[in-house]
Amino acid sequence: SGNKYGYNHSLEAEAVAAAAEAEAEAAMAAMAETSEMMRLKQGLECMDMEMVRMMAMGEGVDLNAAEALHYAVMRCSREVVKALLEMQGLVDVNHRIGRRGPGPGSVGSVGSVGNDDDDDDDEKQHSGMSALHLAAMMGSADMIAVLLDHHADPTATTDGGLSPLDILRAHIQPTPTPTQQPTGHLTHHAHAHA
């Protein structure tokens, strides 16, 4: 129920992205719960990818369940994200927030966007975000490019139905300026010089 330009959908996407960003910030503050998460966060922030690999392979830390890629997209460099994605079989580029099950190596999350205080509708809007959704929310062309280079799915939708493109459009919605000329003026100008 929006106009032909989809402004209502874009405003909804922008509101969802802003709320998800606030929840992600709260999740980052709360992630100090475990020593494993502290070490994982430190490894990512210090670009100590060997420590991250050893945590995953030697200690059984599930990098997807810990949402390490989501955290790296939000807090680290493109190089860290790329290095994570190149850890064969350890990181799923299309892993989505709230889509992890119980199992060995599940030590919590460094990049979780969920919040237990939300009602079901808000949780549904934020659940299912991929790292590509977060990169779009940040408007980071570098992060979007590295994720797409590693086969991130641009058609994946959140549980609320938003694609990364919906979120990106909400952040880069062009606004008309008074200096824009109607197309009729350009046609008239071309005929005047013929």
Side-chain angles (χ1 to χ4, degrees):
S1 68
N3 62 27
K4 67 180 180 178
Y5 301 108
Y7 290 123
N8 289 345
H9 188 65
S10 294
L11 292 174
E12 179 185 357
E14 186 174 344
V16 168
E21 187 172 15
E23 289 183 22
E25 291 295 327
M28 294 303 140
M31 61 96 3
E33 298 171 13
T34 67
S35 62
E36 288 92 356
M37 289 301 96
M38 290 298 291
R39 288 179 40 237
L40 181 56
K41 178 183 172 185
Q42 181 181 18
L44 291 169
E45 290 176 355
C46 295
M47 296 180 67
D48 187 349
M49 301 314 291
E50 190 56 34
M51 182 175 83
V52 172
R53 181 184 307 277
M54 290 304 298
M55 289 182 73
M57 296 179 76
E59 299 173 29
V61 172
D62 182 339
L63 298 178
N64 292 316
E67 294 170 354
L69 181 59
H70 293 75
Y71 180 83
V73 164
M74 292 181 356
R75 297 284 188 199
C76 301
S77 69
R78 179 186 195 281
E79 290 75 25
V80 170
V81 170
K82 185 176 186 222
L84 268 176
L85 292 169
E86 290 174 354
M87 290 184 177
Q88 298 297 321
L90 297 178
V91 177
D92 175 8
V93 69
N94 292 308
H95 176 77
R96 291 163 51 186
I97 292 172
R99 301 283 171 87
R100 63 183 185 271
S106 182
V107 293
S109 169
V110 294
S112 174
V113 177
N115 183 341
D116 292 336
D117 295 333
D118 284 349
D119 61 27
D120 290 338
D121 291 337
D122 286 342
E123 190 171 308
K124 183 178 177 184
Q125 288 291 330
H126 303 129
S127 181
M129 289 186 110
S130 68
L132 188 57
H133 285 93
L134 294 177
M137 179 178 72
M138 295 168 27
S140 174
D142 281 346
M143 291 296 183
I144 291 169
V146 74
L147 292 165
L148 290 173
D149 286 347
H150 287 84
H151 310 290
D153 182 1
T155 64
T157 58
T158 64
D159 292 348
L162 297 173
S163 72
L165 187 57
D166 293 330
I167 293 171
L168 187 60
R169 281 184 182 143
H171 285 285
I172 60 170
Q173 187 66 259
T175 54
T177 62
T179 60
Q180 289 178 333
Q181 300 293 325
T183 51
H185 176 72
L186 296 175
T187 306
H188 174 72
H189 181 70
H191 289 292
H193 287 85

